Amino acid sequence: MVHIRGEISPRESAIAIVGSRAATPYGQKIARDLARDLAGLGFAIVSGLARGIDAAAHRGALETGGRTIAVLAGGLDHVAPRHHVKLAEEIASTGGLLTEWPSGPPAQPGMFVRRNRLIAAISAAVVVVEADERSGALSTAAAARRLGRLLFAVPGDIDRPSSRGCLALLRGGARVCGSAADVAGALPSLAATPRALVLGAVLAEPRGADEIALTAGVPIDQALAELLSLEWSGAIEACPGGNWRRAGSVA
């Protein structure tokens, strides 16, 4: 039995973004950007309301007015950590809070592992952004594999301890996640929307609108409208000469 506050999205339109509590600034930025871009494409972002990657993912979805779902390790009446109470309220106002526990705080460490398998269960895909070799996010990844969910990992510096969990997942067959387009393109539910197709056609190097429209397979006027919308959301950026590229790309 689960207890819900707010609204929970259908599994086929939900994507989990998880990772280390002790996240680096790099990991938090990636999680926030991924969540913002995927929420802008219509996906609900699922995470565990923990410090680090989880909080960054929830905030990224909220920044673009998207939906996000927090799976708690305790009751709805006891948000943990306590300094995320305000964040939980924001999540519940547009998305939802979900837990298997009727009330009370997370009393045992095993409750977090149990929570992690629920994160995977209500999502169509799981993205691990940053994780060391003992990160709890790896239990979410293991649950995703058992349930047949799509599993992605974000590459990181190979000599950084916080990248070793993701490196192990990639070695084990997880898909590479370098952008929201990698995830959206693997999901049939919302991946064929014009916005998702246009986002997938925008690369790190600048491309013209005509080329983007041709690659995406949408009319040029619709491609231009989606490009402007994606620029406003922060997913892409305009370049000189009427070109576009992925936000944060190095020229």
PDB file of all heavy atoms in Angstrom, residues 137-169:
ATOM      1  N   ALA A 137      22.339   5.044  -4.778  1.00  0.00           N
ATOM      2  CA  ALA A 137      21.739   5.140  -6.106  1.00  0.00           C
ATOM      3  C   ALA A 137      21.949   3.860  -6.905  1.00  0.00           C
ATOM      4  O   ALA A 137      21.166   3.548  -7.810  1.00  0.00           O
ATOM      5  CB  ALA A 137      22.336   6.329  -6.865  1.00  0.00           C
ATOM      6  N   LEU A 138      22.981   3.108  -6.570  1.00  0.00           N
ATOM      7  CA  LEU A 138      23.230   1.854  -7.291  1.00  0.00           C
ATOM      8  C   LEU A 138      22.154   0.824  -6.982  1.00  0.00           C
ATOM      9  O   LEU A 138      21.883  -0.066  -7.801  1.00  0.00           O
ATOM     10  CB  LEU A 138      24.616   1.314  -6.959  1.00  0.00           C
ATOM     11  CG  LEU A 138      25.795   2.237  -7.334  1.00  0.00           C
ATOM     12  CD1 LEU A 138      27.120   1.551  -7.060  1.00  0.00           C
ATOM     13  CD2 LEU A 138      25.703   2.672  -8.797  1.00  0.00           C
ATOM     14  N   SER A 139      21.523   0.920  -5.806  1.00  0.00           N
ATOM     15  CA  SER A 139      20.416   0.004  -5.516  1.00  0.00           C
ATOM     16  C   SER A 139      19.199   0.364  -6.365  1.00  0.00           C
ATOM     17  O   SER A 139      18.423  -0.521  -6.755  1.00  0.00           O
ATOM     18  CB  SER A 139      20.054   0.035  -4.023  1.00  0.00           C
ATOM     19  OG  SER A 139      19.480   1.281  -3.657  1.00  0.00           O
ATOM     20  N   THR A 140      19.032   1.649  -6.666  1.00  0.00           N
ATOM     21  CA  THR A 140      17.960   2.056  -7.581  1.00  0.00           C
ATOM     22  C   THR A 140      18.243   1.508  -8.972  1.00  0.00           C
ATOM     23  O   THR A 140      17.340   1.026  -9.665  1.00  0.00           O
ATOM     24  CB  THR A 140      17.846   3.590  -7.638  1.00  0.00           C
ATOM     25  OG1 THR A 140      17.812   4.118  -6.315  1.00  0.00           O
ATOM     26  CG2 THR A 140      16.588   4.007  -8.381  1.00  0.00           C
ATOM     27  N   ALA A 141      19.509   1.572  -9.389  1.00  0.00           N
ATOM     28  CA  ALA A 141      19.895   1.030 -10.695  1.00  0.00           C
ATOM     29  C   ALA A 141      19.656  -0.472 -10.754  1.00  0.00           C
ATOM     30  O   ALA A 141      19.168  -1.007 -11.763  1.00  0.00           O
ATOM     31  CB  ALA A 141      21.364   1.344 -10.969  1.00  0.00           C
ATOM     32  N   ALA A 142      19.987  -1.181  -9.677  1.00  0.00           N
ATOM     33  CA  ALA A 142      19.774  -2.626  -9.638  1.00  0.00           C
ATOM     34  C   ALA A 142      18.290  -2.958  -9.728  1.00  0.00           C
ATOM     35  O   ALA A 142      17.884  -3.902 -10.425  1.00  0.00           O
ATOM     36  CB  ALA A 142      20.375  -3.208  -8.352  1.00  0.00           C
ATOM     37  N   ALA A 143      17.465  -2.165  -9.045  1.00  0.00           N
ATOM     38  CA  ALA A 143      16.017  -2.377  -9.120  1.00  0.00           C
ATOM     39  C   ALA A 143      15.503  -2.118 -10.529  1.00  0.00           C
ATOM     40  O   ALA A 143      14.626  -2.831 -11.027  1.00  0.00           O
ATOM     41  CB  ALA A 143      15.307  -1.473  -8.118  1.00  0.00           C
ATOM     42  N   ALA A 144      16.047  -1.093 -11.184  1.00  0.00           N
ATOM     43  CA  ALA A 144      15.644  -0.790 -12.556  1.00  0.00           C
ATOM     44  C   ALA A 144      15.938  -1.973 -13.475  1.00  0.00           C
ATOM     45  O   ALA A 144      15.106  -2.335 -14.325  1.00  0.00           O
ATOM     46  CB  ALA A 144      16.370   0.461 -13.043  1.00  0.00           C
ATOM     47  N   ARG A 145      17.085  -2.591 -13.292  1.00  0.00           N
ATOM     48  CA  ARG A 145      17.435  -3.755 -14.119  1.00  0.00           C
ATOM     49  C   ARG A 145      16.481  -4.917 -13.853  1.00  0.00           C
ATOM     50  O   ARG A 145      16.033  -5.594 -14.775  1.00  0.00           O
ATOM     51  CB  ARG A 145      18.879  -4.166 -13.843  1.00  0.00           C
ATOM     52  CG  ARG A 145      19.908  -3.280 -14.539  1.00  0.00           C
ATOM     53  CD  ARG A 145      21.298  -3.873 -14.427  1.00  0.00           C
ATOM     54  NE  ARG A 145      22.235  -3.223 -15.337  1.00  0.00           N
ATOM     55  CZ  ARG A 145      23.391  -2.709 -14.964  1.00  0.00           C
ATOM     56  NH1 ARG A 145      23.751  -2.751 -13.699  1.00  0.00           N
ATOM     57  NH2 ARG A 145      24.190  -2.145 -15.851  1.00  0.00           N
ATOM     58  N   ARG A 146      16.182  -5.168 -12.584  1.00  0.00           N
ATOM     59  CA  ARG A 146      15.281  -6.277 -12.243  1.00  0.00           C
ATOM     60  C   ARG A 146      13.888  -6.061 -12.828  1.00  0.00           C
ATOM     61  O   ARG A 146      13.221  -7.022 -13.233  1.00  0.00           O
ATOM     62  CB  ARG A 146      15.171  -6.428 -10.725  1.00  0.00           C
ATOM     63  CG  ARG A 146      16.418  -6.976 -10.056  1.00  0.00           C
ATOM     64  CD  ARG A 146      16.128  -7.420  -8.627  1.00  0.00           C
ATOM     65  NE  ARG A 146      15.606  -6.333  -7.796  1.00  0.00           N
ATOM     66  CZ  ARG A 146      16.367  -5.518  -7.082  1.00  0.00           C
ATOM     67  NH1 ARG A 146      17.696  -5.645  -7.110  1.00  0.00           N
ATOM     68  NH2 ARG A 146      15.812  -4.577  -6.342  1.00  0.00           N
ATOM     69  N   LEU A 147      13.460  -4.811 -12.869  1.00  0.00           N
ATOM     70  CA  LEU A 147      12.120  -4.492 -13.353  1.00  0.00           C
ATOM     71  C   LEU A 147      12.066  -4.273 -14.861  1.00  0.00           C
ATOM     72  O   LEU A 147      10.989  -4.025 -15.411  1.00  0.00           O
ATOM     73  CB  LEU A 147      11.611  -3.231 -12.639  1.00  0.00           C
ATOM     74  CG  LEU A 147      11.365  -3.376 -11.136  1.00  0.00           C
ATOM     75  CD1 LEU A 147      11.144  -1.996 -10.498  1.00  0.00           C
ATOM     76  CD2 LEU A 147      10.178  -4.277 -10.865  1.00  0.00           C
ATOM     77  N   GLY A 148      13.209  -4.336 -15.523  1.00  0.00           N
ATOM     78  CA  GLY A 148      13.239  -4.140 -16.966  1.00  0.00           C
ATOM     79  C   GLY A 148      13.108  -2.695 -17.403  1.00  0.00           C
ATOM     80  O   GLY A 148      12.700  -2.411 -18.536  1.00  0.00           O
ATOM     81  N   ARG A 149      13.464  -1.758 -16.517  1.00  0.00           N
ATOM     82  CA  ARG A 149      13.418  -0.348 -16.879  1.00  0.00           C
ATOM     83  C   ARG A 149      14.693   0.031 -17.642  1.00  0.00           C
ATOM     84  O   ARG A 149      15.748  -0.577 -17.455  1.00  0.00           O
ATOM     85  CB  ARG A 149      13.308   0.538 -15.628  1.00  0.00           C
ATOM     86  CG  ARG A 149      12.159   0.187 -14.710  1.00  0.00           C
ATOM     87  CD  ARG A 149      10.802   0.395 -15.375  1.00  0.00           C
ATOM     88  NE  ARG A 149       9.737   0.295 -14.392  1.00  0.00           N
ATOM     89  CZ  ARG A 149       8.882  -0.710 -14.325  1.00  0.00           C
ATOM     90  NH1 ARG A 149       8.972  -1.724 -15.181  1.00  0.00           N
ATOM     91  NH2 ARG A 149       7.917  -0.719 -13.410  1.00  0.00           N
ATOM     92  N   LEU A 150      14.611   1.064 -18.461  1.00  0.00           N
ATOM     93  CA  LEU A 150      15.794   1.575 -19.126  1.00  0.00           C
ATOM     94  C   LEU A 150      16.723   2.187 -18.078  1.00  0.00           C
ATOM     95  O   LEU A 150      16.272   2.894 -17.169  1.00  0.00           O
ATOM     96  CB  LEU A 150      15.426   2.639 -20.154  1.00  0.00           C
ATOM     97  CG  LEU A 150      14.652   2.160 -21.389  1.00  0.00           C
ATOM     98  CD1 LEU A 150      14.270   3.345 -22.262  1.00  0.00           C
ATOM     99  CD2 LEU A 150      15.456   1.158 -22.187  1.00  0.00           C
ATOM    100  N   LEU A 151      18.013   1.921 -18.215  1.00  0.00           N
ATOM    101  CA  LEU A 151      18.989   2.417 -17.250  1.00  0.00           C
ATOM    102  C   LEU A 151      20.063   3.218 -17.961  1.00  0.00           C
ATOM    103  O   LEU A 151      20.682   2.743 -18.918  1.00  0.00           O
ATOM    104  CB  LEU A 151      19.625   1.253 -16.490  1.00  0.00           C
ATOM    105  CG  LEU A 151      20.720   1.601 -15.480  1.00  0.00           C
ATOM    106  CD1 LEU A 151      20.180   2.512 -14.382  1.00  0.00           C
ATOM    107  CD2 LEU A 151      21.320   0.329 -14.885  1.00  0.00           C
ATOM    108  N   PHE A 152      20.300   4.450 -17.480  1.00  0.00           N
ATOM    109  CA  PHE A 152      21.297   5.351 -18.032  1.00  0.00           C
ATOM    110  C   PHE A 152      22.276   5.767 -16.936  1.00  0.00           C
ATOM    111  O   PHE A 152      21.923   5.806 -15.759  1.00  0.00           O
ATOM    112  CB  PHE A 152      20.639   6.614 -18.591  1.00  0.00           C
ATOM    113  CG  PHE A 152      19.732   6.398 -19.759  1.00  0.00           C
ATOM    114  CD1 PHE A 152      18.417   5.981 -19.562  1.00  0.00           C
ATOM    115  CD2 PHE A 152      20.159   6.629 -21.053  1.00  0.00           C
ATOM    116  CE1 PHE A 152      17.560   5.788 -20.627  1.00  0.00           C
ATOM    117  CE2 PHE A 152      19.319   6.437 -22.134  1.00  0.00           C
ATOM    118  CZ  PHE A 152      18.011   6.016 -21.926  1.00  0.00           C
ATOM    119  N   ALA A 153      23.491   6.103 -17.347  1.00  0.00           N
ATOM    120  CA  ALA A 153      24.480   6.657 -16.420  1.00  0.00           C
ATOM    121  C   ALA A 153      25.207   7.804 -17.115  1.00  0.00           C
ATOM    122  O   ALA A 153      25.477   7.743 -18.318  1.00  0.00           O
ATOM    123  CB  ALA A 153      25.479   5.596 -15.976  1.00  0.00           C
ATOM    124  N   VAL A 154      25.497   8.834 -16.349  1.00  0.00           N
ATOM    125  CA  VAL A 154      26.207   9.999 -16.881  1.00  0.00           C
ATOM    126  C   VAL A 154      27.700   9.799 -16.683  1.00  0.00           C
ATOM    127  O   VAL A 154      28.146   9.545 -15.560  1.00  0.00           O
ATOM    128  CB  VAL A 154      25.750  11.285 -16.162  1.00  0.00           C
ATOM    129  CG1 VAL A 154      26.586  12.481 -16.618  1.00  0.00           C
ATOM    130  CG2 VAL A 154      24.276  11.539 -16.419  1.00  0.00           C
ATOM    131  N   PRO A 155      28.502   9.894 -17.736  1.00  0.00           N
ATOM    132  CA  PRO A 155      29.954   9.736 -17.573  1.00  0.00           C
ATOM    133  C   PRO A 155      30.544  10.864 -16.735  1.00  0.00           C
ATOM    134  O   PRO A 155      30.027  11.979 -16.705  1.00  0.00           O
ATOM    135  CB  PRO A 155      30.485   9.804 -19.016  1.00  0.00           C
ATOM    136  CG  PRO A 155      29.286   9.601 -19.897  1.00  0.00           C
ATOM    137  CD  PRO A 155      28.122  10.134 -19.134  1.00  0.00           C
ATOM    138  N   GLY A 156      31.635  10.565 -16.059  1.00  0.00           N
ATOM    139  CA  GLY A 156      32.361  11.573 -15.288  1.00  0.00           C
ATOM    140  C   GLY A 156      33.847  11.326 -15.400  1.00  0.00           C
ATOM    141  O   GLY A 156      34.290  10.405 -16.097  1.00  0.00           O
ATOM    142  N   ASP A 157      34.655  12.153 -14.737  1.00  0.00           N
ATOM    143  CA  ASP A 157      36.104  11.960 -14.760  1.00  0.00           C
ATOM    144  C   ASP A 157      36.458  10.585 -14.202  1.00  0.00           C
ATOM    145  O   ASP A 157      36.006  10.215 -13.113  1.00  0.00           O
ATOM    146  CB  ASP A 157      36.793  13.033 -13.912  1.00  0.00           C
ATOM    147  CG  ASP A 157      36.586  14.437 -14.475  1.00  0.00           C
ATOM    148  OD1 ASP A 157      36.275  14.530 -15.680  1.00  0.00           O
ATOM    149  OD2 ASP A 157      36.724  15.406 -13.724  1.00  0.00           O
ATOM    150  N   ILE A 158      37.278   9.828 -14.911  1.00  0.00           N
ATOM    151  CA  ILE A 158      37.548   8.448 -14.506  1.00  0.00           C
ATOM    152  C   ILE A 158      38.366   8.356 -13.222  1.00  0.00           C
ATOM    153  O   ILE A 158      38.377   7.316 -12.563  1.00  0.00           O
ATOM    154  CB  ILE A 158      38.265   7.669 -15.632  1.00  0.00           C
ATOM    155  CG1 ILE A 158      39.602   8.338 -15.985  1.00  0.00           C
ATOM    156  CG2 ILE A 158      37.374   7.550 -16.844  1.00  0.00           C
ATOM    157  CD1 ILE A 158      40.433   7.543 -16.986  1.00  0.00           C
ATOM    158  N   ASP A 159      39.044   9.436 -12.831  1.00  0.00           N
ATOM    159  CA  ASP A 159      39.832   9.406 -11.603  1.00  0.00           C
ATOM    160  C   ASP A 159      39.100  10.039 -10.422  1.00  0.00           C
ATOM    161  O   ASP A 159      39.677  10.218  -9.355  1.00  0.00           O
ATOM    162  CB  ASP A 159      41.178  10.110 -11.810  1.00  0.00           C
ATOM    163  CG  ASP A 159      41.030  11.575 -12.208  1.00  0.00           C
ATOM    164  OD1 ASP A 159      39.891  11.984 -12.557  1.00  0.00           O
ATOM    165  OD2 ASP A 159      42.037  12.298 -12.183  1.00  0.00           O
ATOM    166  N   ARG A 160      37.823  10.349 -10.597  1.00  0.00           N
ATOM    167  CA  ARG A 160      37.034  10.960  -9.528  1.00  0.00           C
ATOM    168  C   ARG A 160      36.242   9.873  -8.815  1.00  0.00           C
ATOM    169  O   ARG A 160      35.473   9.133  -9.452  1.00  0.00           O
ATOM    170  CB  ARG A 160      36.089  12.009 -10.109  1.00  0.00           C
ATOM    171  CG  ARG A 160      35.263  12.748  -9.055  1.00  0.00           C
ATOM    172  CD  ARG A 160      34.280  13.700  -9.703  1.00  0.00           C
ATOM    173  NE  ARG A 160      34.950  14.768 -10.431  1.00  0.00           N
ATOM    174  CZ  ARG A 160      34.326  15.617 -11.232  1.00  0.00           C
ATOM    175  NH1 ARG A 160      33.028  15.487 -11.433  1.00  0.00           N
ATOM    176  NH2 ARG A 160      35.003  16.575 -11.848  1.00  0.00           N
ATOM    177  N   PRO A 161      36.385   9.729  -7.491  1.00  0.00           N
ATOM    178  CA  PRO A 161      35.646   8.683  -6.766  1.00  0.00           C
ATOM    179  C   PRO A 161      34.144   8.727  -7.009  1.00  0.00           C
ATOM    180  O   PRO A 161      33.494   7.681  -7.091  1.00  0.00           O
ATOM    181  CB  PRO A 161      35.990   8.964  -5.299  1.00  0.00           C
ATOM    182  CG  PRO A 161      37.335   9.624  -5.356  1.00  0.00           C
ATOM    183  CD  PRO A 161      37.308  10.457  -6.600  1.00  0.00           C
ATOM    184  N   SER A 162      33.585   9.922  -7.158  1.00  0.00           N
ATOM    185  CA  SER A 162      32.140  10.043  -7.344  1.00  0.00           C
ATOM    186  C   SER A 162      31.678   9.604  -8.729  1.00  0.00           C
ATOM    187  O   SER A 162      30.476   9.586  -9.002  1.00  0.00           O
ATOM    188  CB  SER A 162      31.695  11.486  -7.095  1.00  0.00           C
ATOM    189  OG  SER A 162      32.347  12.376  -7.983  1.00  0.00           O
ATOM    190  N   SER A 163      32.617   9.243  -9.606  1.00  0.00           N
ATOM    191  CA  SER A 163      32.271   8.762 -10.942  1.00  0.00           C
ATOM    192  C   SER A 163      32.335   7.238 -11.041  1.00  0.00           C
ATOM    193  O   SER A 163      31.887   6.662 -12.038  1.00  0.00           O
ATOM    194  CB  SER A 163      33.218   9.360 -11.995  1.00  0.00           C
ATOM    195  OG  SER A 163      33.123  10.761 -12.043  1.00  0.00           O
ATOM    196  N   ARG A 164      32.897   6.583 -10.039  1.00  0.00           N
ATOM    197  CA  ARG A 164      33.175   5.152 -10.164  1.00  0.00           C
ATOM    198  C   ARG A 164      31.915   4.301 -10.245  1.00  0.00           C
ATOM    199  O   ARG A 164      31.880   3.281 -10.924  1.00  0.00           O
ATOM    200  CB  ARG A 164      34.054   4.701  -8.993  1.00  0.00           C
ATOM    201  CG  ARG A 164      35.475   5.256  -9.098  1.00  0.00           C
ATOM    202  CD  ARG A 164      36.297   4.958  -7.872  1.00  0.00           C
ATOM    203  NE  ARG A 164      37.619   5.595  -7.965  1.00  0.00           N
ATOM    204  CZ  ARG A 164      38.436   5.779  -6.951  1.00  0.00           C
ATOM    205  NH1 ARG A 164      38.067   5.364  -5.725  1.00  0.00           N
ATOM    206  NH2 ARG A 164      39.611   6.364  -7.109  1.00  0.00           N
ATOM    207  N   GLY A 165      30.861   4.705  -9.548  1.00  0.00           N
ATOM    208  CA  GLY A 165      29.620   3.955  -9.632  1.00  0.00           C
ATOM    209  C   GLY A 165      29.015   4.029 -11.022  1.00  0.00           C
ATOM    210  O   GLY A 165      28.548   3.020 -11.570  1.00  0.00           O
ATOM    211  N   CYS A 166      29.024   5.229 -11.618  1.00  0.00           N
ATOM    212  CA  CYS A 166      28.509   5.382 -12.981  1.00  0.00           C
ATOM    213  C   CYS A 166      29.366   4.620 -13.984  1.00  0.00           C
ATOM    214  O   CYS A 166      28.845   4.014 -14.929  1.00  0.00           O
ATOM    215  CB  CYS A 166      28.446   6.860 -13.355  1.00  0.00           C
ATOM    216  SG  CYS A 166      27.133   7.775 -12.505  1.00  0.00           S
ATOM    217  N   LEU A 167      30.683   4.642 -13.780  1.00  0.00           N
ATOM    218  CA  LEU A 167      31.579   3.902 -14.672  1.00  0.00           C
ATOM    219  C   LEU A 167      31.262   2.406 -14.619  1.00  0.00           C
ATOM    220  O   LEU A 167      31.216   1.727 -15.656  1.00  0.00           O
ATOM    221  CB  LEU A 167      33.036   4.156 -14.277  1.00  0.00           C
ATOM    222  CG  LEU A 167      34.104   3.442 -15.118  1.00  0.00           C
ATOM    223  CD1 LEU A 167      33.993   3.838 -16.586  1.00  0.00           C
ATOM    224  CD2 LEU A 167      35.496   3.761 -14.585  1.00  0.00           C
ATOM    225  N   ALA A 168      31.005   1.890 -13.420  1.00  0.00           N
ATOM    226  CA  ALA A 168      30.660   0.475 -13.281  1.00  0.00           C
ATOM    227  C   ALA A 168      29.341   0.160 -13.985  1.00  0.00           C
ATOM    228  O   ALA A 168      29.201  -0.899 -14.628  1.00  0.00           O
ATOM    229  CB  ALA A 168      30.580   0.098 -11.805  1.00  0.00           C
ATOM    230  N   LEU A 169      28.379   1.076 -13.886  1.00  0.00           N
ATOM    231  CA  LEU A 169      27.103   0.860 -14.570  1.00  0.00           C
ATOM    232  C   LEU A 169      27.290   0.839 -16.083  1.00  0.00           C
ATOM    233  O   LEU A 169      26.691   0.012 -16.785  1.00  0.00           O
ATOM    234  CB  LEU A 169      26.115   1.957 -14.180  1.00  0.00           C
ATOM    235  CG  LEU A 169      25.609   1.945 -12.735  1.00  0.00           C
ATOM    236  CD1 LEU A 169      24.728   3.160 -12.480  1.00  0.00           C
ATOM    237  CD2 LEU A 169      24.850   0.658 -12.425  1.00  0.00           C
TER     238      LEU A 169
END
